[in-house]
Amino acid sequence: MIYVFLANGFEETEAIAPIDMLRRAKLNVKTVGVGTKTPTSSHGIQVTADITTEEVRLDSELQLIVLPGGMPGTLNLKASDTVQKAIAFCAENKIPVGAICAAPSILGDLGLLEGREAVCFPGFEKNLLGAKVQNKLCVTDGQYTTACGAGAALAFGLELVKVLCGTEKSEEIRRAIVADR
């Protein structure tokens, strides 16, 4: 099971592109409405989530959680008890976590990126406590994959596929969507 947390103010491209890539890899992805079943994106697009935070199960079936950025989406994710518990569960059980744009700041504020390579939206570097901040679109270090913003959403989604399914599957999807030229 993969949970993509959607809080009011999420950045839509940073959520939808990774969901699409992960589903193309035939992975079980559930969107999770944080605080509402119908969160509204940072640009006013309302979506219907598959489940709400009350339905989240933190168990051995969990493969990955994804934290899209956007404002105030990132702040709403950070304020969610369920999201915090999911991050802690993943950290404790070595389950991958993906965060993009401002959302890596949540992981950084928790000290989870200390000593690791990471990226974020420009201006949030101060929140990546102890991280080795990179100048890349996307980076995976250990169980954490971080990306810098909406422009990196496709690369982020393909990187998450690579983390869970390997390079061959990620490259197969890259070719299928004509992102390989």
Side-chain angles (χ1 to χ4, degrees), residues 89-172:
F89 182 84
C90 289
E92 190 175 299
N93 292 284
K94 306 288 188 248
I95 296 168
V97 176
I100 184 169
C101 191
S105 68
I106 300 169
L107 304 177
D109 287 342
L110 293 169
L112 297 174
L113 300 177
E114 189 166 338
R116 297 182 186 275
E117 291 185 2
V119 297
C120 62
F121 190 78
F124 286 86
E125 295 86 356
K126 66 186 176 303
N127 297 92
L128 304 186
L129 304 177
K132 299 178 218 167
V133 179
Q134 303 296 300
N135 185 22
K136 298 178 181 177
L137 288 178
C138 183
V139 64
T140 297
D141 191 340
Q143 74 191 86
Y144 301 103
T145 299
T146 55
C148 63
L154 190 59
F156 177 60
L158 289 167
E159 182 70 13
L160 295 175
V161 170
K162 181 179 171 183
V163 165
L164 294 181
C165 301
T167 301
E168 187 175 321
K169 181 53 116 177
S170 179
E171 290 304 312
E172 174 188 315

Side-chain angles (χ1 to χ4, degrees), residues 21-50:
M21 296 305 104
L22 292 162
R23 287 186 176 169
R24 285 173 189 262
K26 307 286 190 252
L27 295 166
N28 186 6
V29 179
K30 294 285 185 200
T31 56
V32 181
V34 177
T36 178
K37 179 90 170 176
T38 56
T40 301
S41 75
S42 58
H43 297 101
I45 300 170
Q46 190 172 61
V47 299
T48 301
D50 297 317

Side-chain angles (χ1 to χ4, degrees), residues 45-63:
I45 300 170
Q46 190 172 61
V47 299
T48 301
D50 297 317
I51 63 173
T52 63
T53 51
E54 292 78 24
E55 299 169 89
V56 167
R57 299 290 170 254
L58 302 176
D59 57 29
S60 62
E61 300 293 313
L62 187 61
Q63 296 176 278

